[in-house]
Amino acid sequence: MTQAAALAAAENNDDTRRAIGCFVLAIFLFAGMDTLIKYLSSGYPVAQLMFARSVVALVLVGGISVARGGWGGMRTRRPVAHVFRSLAGLLSMGCFFYAFRHLPLAEVYVLSFAGPLFITALSMPLLGEPVGWRRWAAVLVGFGGVVVMARPEADAPLLPILVGVAAAFFYALAMIAVRGLSRTESNTAIVVYLLLTTTVVSGVAAIPDWVQPGGFDLGLMLLVGTLGGAAQVLMTQAFRLGRAAVVAPFEYTGMIWATLLGFLVFGDVPTPTVLAGAGIIIASGLYILYRETRRRGG
């Protein structure tokens, strides 16, 4: 291997490690945000919580980005792609918020694990990234885990489970769009256009059922937006630095935080069915990561 090739390989490995680090930290921050959303969801409509999450993040992320780089970072040559990414993100957020209201935190996270499987499956047709037959098999096994987990008990609601799966699908579309947009667009444009869309749409939807928050709840809503904004920037950077099929399986670290926070805050303990489904999905995701790493020789 020539010196130039060695340096290029080292740089690629560094980018991969940074991408994974950004993604894992983003998942941790999202877990904290999701815990607050579930706590607030008993007293506030989904649209209002979406608005709080979006508007605070928009002010913080947009304000800091413009202050540091001016308005130039908002220029785009692909407005249609931004619209697609923003709508997918909006639908994913709304579905997840609905699921948080009706299901335990860890159970929603298990459903969200279908997202990386959708990403891997969609990487080839939408991004042109190769996905071999072994990873296709792992994707199918992973979806089998979703089926195991989603088999409701006699008195369990089915609609929130289906909405949670839909949230994972829209999330995958949004992340695939981020990967495509990151080839030509700045992080600022990708994040701010998403937050602008979700702020406007959720704000309008929240007006009819608006509930005036007290001081403590208002502070929690501000924290929701702050955590969400920071996590969004980190996630966007992760998909800029690393391949979708490599980064996505680290979504599973969220199960640790969801289980811990769900128990500490709400007293929820995952059922054996949920844990079995999570185990199958995580195993398939880790196998996908192994195959991708082996294929790339690192």
Side-chain angles (χ1 to χ4, degrees):
M1 179 182 292
T2 65
Q3 184 177 6
L7 290 174
E11 182 178 356
N12 182 69
N13 289 335
D14 287 343
D15 283 347
T16 299
R17 285 191 288 267
R18 286 196 295 268
I20 292 171
C22 287
F23 195 73
V24 170
L25 181 55
I27 296 302
F28 172 73
L29 295 181
F30 274 133
M33 181 196 76
D34 294 338
T35 302
L36 294 175
I37 289 169
K38 181 171 178 59
Y39 175 80
L40 291 166
S41 65
S42 61
Y44 299 92
V46 169
Q48 184 172 344
L49 295 177
M50 290 175 62
F51 175 75
R53 180 255 190 269
S54 300
V55 70
V56 176
L58 176 63
V59 171
L60 292 176
V61 176
I64 293 173
S65 298
V66 171
R68 292 179 60 182
W71 293 99
M74 293 295 296
R75 286 196 293 266
T76 178
R77 293 173 291 171
R78 303 173 64 188
V80 175
H82 279 289
V83 170
F84 175 82
R85 182 268 192 274
S86 297
L87 290 177
L90 176 71
L91 290 170
S92 177
M93 185 189 301
C95 289
F96 273 130
F97 280 27
Y98 177 87
F100 282 131
R101 169 176 284 188
H102 297 281
L103 296 172
L105 194 65
E107 192 165 330
V108 178
Y109 266 65
V110 174
L111 292 172
S112 76
F113 292 162
L117 302 177
F118 280 124
I119 289 173
T120 301
L122 294 171
S123 291
M124 184 174 68
L126 297 184
L127 293 179
E129 296 180 355
V131 178
W133 70 267
R134 292 180 179 86
R135 281 182 289 158
W136 276 117
V139 168
L140 293 176
V141 170
F143 282 125
V146 174
V147 173
V148 169
M149 177 265 156
R151 290 180 59 187
E153 306 296 335
D155 57 347
L158 180 59
L159 180 60
I161 293 176
L162 296 177
V163 172
V165 174
F169 174 75
F170 289 123
Y171 162 83
L173 288 180
M175 291 301 100
I176 289 289
V178 166
R179 182 64 174 164
L181 283 167
S182 66
R183 296 168 180 166
T184 60
E185 306 294 293
S186 68
N187 283 1
T188 298
I190 293 172
V191 175
V192 172
Y193 285 131
L194 166 67
L195 293 173
L196 183 62
T197 301
T198 55
T199 296
V200 172
V201 175
S202 63
V204 172
I207 292 175
D209 300 315
W210 184 270
V211 177
Q212 185 62 35
F216 180 72
D217 285 357
L218 181 60
L220 293 182
M221 290 181 183
L222 292 174
L223 183 56
V224 163
T226 302
L227 293 175
Q232 195 69 55
V233 172
L234 287 167
M235 183 170 285
T236 300
Q237 182 66 5
F239 277 89
R240 176 182 295 275
L241 294 172
R243 290 170 59 85
V246 172
V247 175
F250 285 90
E251 179 91 5
Y252 305 136
T253 58
M255 185 64 183
I256 300 172
W257 310 118
T259 301
L260 179 61
L261 292 171
F263 175 73
L264 293 176
V265 179
F266 307 107
D268 294 331
V269 178
T271 66
T273 302
V274 170
L275 292 176
I280 295 172
I281 298 168
I282 291 172
S284 68
L286 292 177
Y287 181 76
I288 290 171
L289 174 62
Y290 163 75
R291 290 300 307 175
E292 175 69 16
T293 303
R294 182 176 178 182
R295 187 183 69 83
R296 293 174 62 84

